[in-house]
Amino acid sequence: MSKEKILASGPIADAATRILEEYGEIVIAPDFTEETLIEQVEDAMALVVRGEGVGSARVIEAGKKLRVIGRCGVGYNNIDIAAATARRHAKAEERARAASDHAASVWVAANAGTGKTHVLIERIARLLVGGTAPGPLPTPYSS
């Protein structure tokens, strides 16, 4: 049985690699451009957006098997929340906005610069182990 594909728009930490490789084959995109990610995401079950990588509507729509999008760092300015919401539910955008607001979110304030990658990887792993169906597309801020 072949492992499912986990696409990252850039290099990820060794700790993240050790956790995620148990759930799928980690593929680092050759660059973070939208066109490259569209080509690479089609058969991916997860997308890890790094740095300047984009989770645009076109990328999300191209990811027919996507179950989860993870964003390393604070904020979601390079994730199309509306497109992710269309694949998930109406509360996703509200949760993402609340979670990215430093004034409103103790979680973000407590984790900014202190293990965000670990928190992200643990959440992705829980979703994958839990058997999240290909239809729902949780954001890193949804429960």
Side-chain angles (χ1 to χ4, degrees), residues 5 15 26 62 70 91:
K5 180 178 179 180
I26 301 167
K91 291 284 186 182

Side-chain angles (χ1 to χ4, degrees), residues 13-123:
D14 290 341
T17 299
R18 285 191 298 276
I19 294 168
L20 287 177
E21 65 189 1
E22 184 177 331
Y23 304 100
E25 176 189 0
I26 301 167
V27 175
I28 308 299
D31 61 64
F32 56 77
T33 63
E34 182 180 53
E35 292 306 318
T36 297
L37 293 177
I38 287 170
E39 291 172 10
Q40 297 276 322
V41 77
E42 183 177 5
D43 59 344
M45 65 143 163
L47 172 64
V48 178
V49 178
R50 297 274 308 154
E52 296 180 44
V54 294
S56 68
R58 292 179 60 215
V59 171
I60 293 168
E61 289 167 11
K64 303 298 183 200
K65 297 171 83 177
L66 277 178
R67 293 186 215 163
V68 63
I69 296 174
R71 162 85 170 101
C72 296
V74 175
Y76 58 93
N77 58 314
N78 52 353
I79 304 290
D80 188 322
I81 298 299
T85 300
R87 297 267 307 262
R88 176 69 172 145
H89 54 76
K91 291 284 186 182
E93 183 173 358
E94 179 184 323
R95 289 179 186 157
R97 289 186 193 281
S100 66
D101 180 357
H102 283 284
S105 176
V106 174
W107 186 89
V108 171
N111 285 288
T114 59
K116 295 176 297 233
T117 301
H118 179 74
V119 171
L120 169 68
I121 299 309
E122 288 294 322
R123 172 161 268 191

